[in-house]
Amino acid sequence: MKCVISVLGKDRSGVVAAIATVLADCGANIDDISQTILGEGRMFSMTMMVSLDVTTADFNTVQERLTVTGESLGMQVLIQREDVFQAMYQI
Protein backbone atom coordinates (compact mmCIF):
# COMPACT_ATOMS: atom_id res chain seq x y z
CA MET A 1 0.00 0.00 0.00
CA LYS A 2 1.40 3.40 -1.02
CA CYS A 3 1.07 6.26 1.48
CA VAL A 4 2.07 9.91 1.82
CA ILE A 5 3.53 11.08 5.13
CA SER A 6 3.79 14.75 6.06
CA VAL A 7 5.87 16.03 8.99
CA LEU A 8 5.78 19.62 10.19
CA GLY A 9 7.13 21.37 13.26
CA LYS A 10 9.96 23.29 14.89
CA ASP A 11 13.28 22.17 13.47
CA ARG A 12 15.36 19.90 15.69
CA SER A 13 17.85 17.09 15.24
CA GLY A 14 16.73 13.48 14.97
CA VAL A 15 13.38 13.98 13.23
CA VAL A 16 14.23 12.07 10.05
CA ALA A 17 15.89 9.30 12.06
CA ALA A 18 12.91 8.90 14.39
CA ILE A 19 10.35 8.73 11.57
CA ALA A 20 12.55 6.40 9.49
CA THR A 21 13.01 4.10 12.50
CA VAL A 22 9.26 3.77 13.00
CA LEU A 23 8.79 2.99 9.32
CA ALA A 24 11.61 0.42 9.32
CA ASP A 25 10.20 -1.25 12.44
CA CYS A 26 6.84 -1.49 10.65
CA GLY A 27 8.40 -3.03 7.53
CA ALA A 28 7.73 0.05 5.39
CA ASN A 29 9.98 1.28 2.60
CA ILE A 30 10.70 4.96 1.93
CA ASP A 31 10.24 5.37 -1.84
CA ASP A 32 10.83 9.13 -2.00
CA ILE A 33 11.54 11.90 0.47
CA SER A 34 11.68 15.68 0.35
CA GLN A 35 12.50 17.97 3.23
CA THR A 36 13.17 21.64 3.75
CA ILE A 37 13.75 24.16 6.50
CA LEU A 38 11.40 27.15 6.26
CA GLY A 39 11.72 30.61 7.80
CA GLU A 40 15.41 30.95 8.60
CA GLY A 41 15.73 27.53 10.20
CA ARG A 42 12.66 27.67 12.37
CA MET A 43 10.22 25.29 10.66
CA PHE A 44 10.95 21.76 9.44
CA SER A 45 8.80 20.29 6.67
CA MET A 46 9.12 16.78 5.22
CA THR A 47 7.02 14.78 2.79
CA MET A 48 7.58 11.09 2.15
CA MET A 49 6.13 8.54 -0.23
CA VAL A 50 6.25 5.13 1.42
CA SER A 51 5.20 1.58 0.66
CA LEU A 52 3.65 -0.22 3.62
CA ASP A 53 3.98 -3.97 4.05
CA VAL A 54 0.52 -4.57 5.50
CA THR A 55 1.47 -8.13 6.45
CA THR A 56 3.98 -6.64 8.92
CA ALA A 57 1.99 -3.60 10.09
CA ASP A 58 -1.36 -2.34 8.82
CA PHE A 59 -2.17 1.31 8.08
CA ASN A 60 -3.74 1.96 11.51
CA THR A 61 -0.74 0.52 13.36
CA VAL A 62 1.71 2.66 11.37
CA GLN A 63 -0.52 5.71 11.89
CA GLU A 64 -0.64 5.17 15.66
CA ARG A 65 3.14 4.69 15.93
CA LEU A 66 3.84 7.79 13.83
CA THR A 67 1.42 9.84 15.95
CA VAL A 68 3.16 8.79 19.17
CA THR A 69 6.57 9.55 17.67
CA GLY A 70 5.37 12.91 16.38
CA GLU A 71 4.05 13.84 19.81
CA SER A 72 7.36 12.92 21.44
CA LEU A 73 9.17 15.15 18.92
CA GLY A 74 6.66 18.00 19.19
CA MET A 75 5.87 17.56 15.49
CA GLN A 76 2.69 17.07 13.48
CA VAL A 77 2.89 13.76 11.57
CA LEU A 78 0.13 12.82 9.16
CA ILE A 79 -0.18 9.71 7.01
CA GLN A 80 -2.66 9.31 4.17
CA ARG A 81 -3.28 6.55 1.68
CA GLU A 82 -1.94 7.69 -1.69
CA ASP A 83 -5.31 7.29 -3.42
CA VAL A 84 -7.01 9.51 -0.82
CA PHE A 85 -4.19 12.06 -1.06
CA GLN A 86 -4.44 12.14 -4.88
CA ALA A 87 -8.24 12.52 -4.78
CA MET A 88 -7.99 15.46 -2.38
CA TYR A 89 -5.66 17.39 -4.68
CA GLN A 90 -7.19 16.62 -8.06
CA ILE A 91 -8.21 19.66 -10.05
Side-chain angles (χ1 to χ4, degrees):
M1 171 189 302
K2 295 278 191 183
C3 295
V4 177
I5 297 173
S6 302
V7 180
L8 184 64
K10 184 172 171 37
D11 187 33
R12 59 176 288 182
S13 62
V15 174
V16 177
I19 299 298
T21 298
V22 169
L23 294 172
D25 290 348
C26 291
N29 186 57
I30 299 170
D31 301 323
D32 199 0
I33 183 172
S34 175
Q35 65 183 38
T36 190
I37 307 298
L38 305 168
E40 299 176 14
R42 290 182 239 147
M43 186 66 66
F44 176 85
S45 174
M46 178 171 65
T47 304
M48 307 169 98
M49 178 69 73
V50 301
S51 296
L52 299 186
D53 177 359
V54 294
T55 61
T56 303
D58 64 13
F59 180 87
N60 290 335
T61 300
V62 176
Q63 183 177 42
E64 289 168 8
R65 297 216 30 216
L66 287 172
T67 298
V68 168
T69 301
E71 288 171 357
S72 73
L73 294 168
M75 310 287 277
Q76 178 187 33
V77 182
L78 302 173
I79 182 171
Q80 295 176 289
R81 292 173 176 84
E82 181 189 26
D83 56 346
V84 173
F85 181 86
Q86 294 291 353
M88 287 176 52
Y89 296 100
Q90 253 180 354
I91 297 177

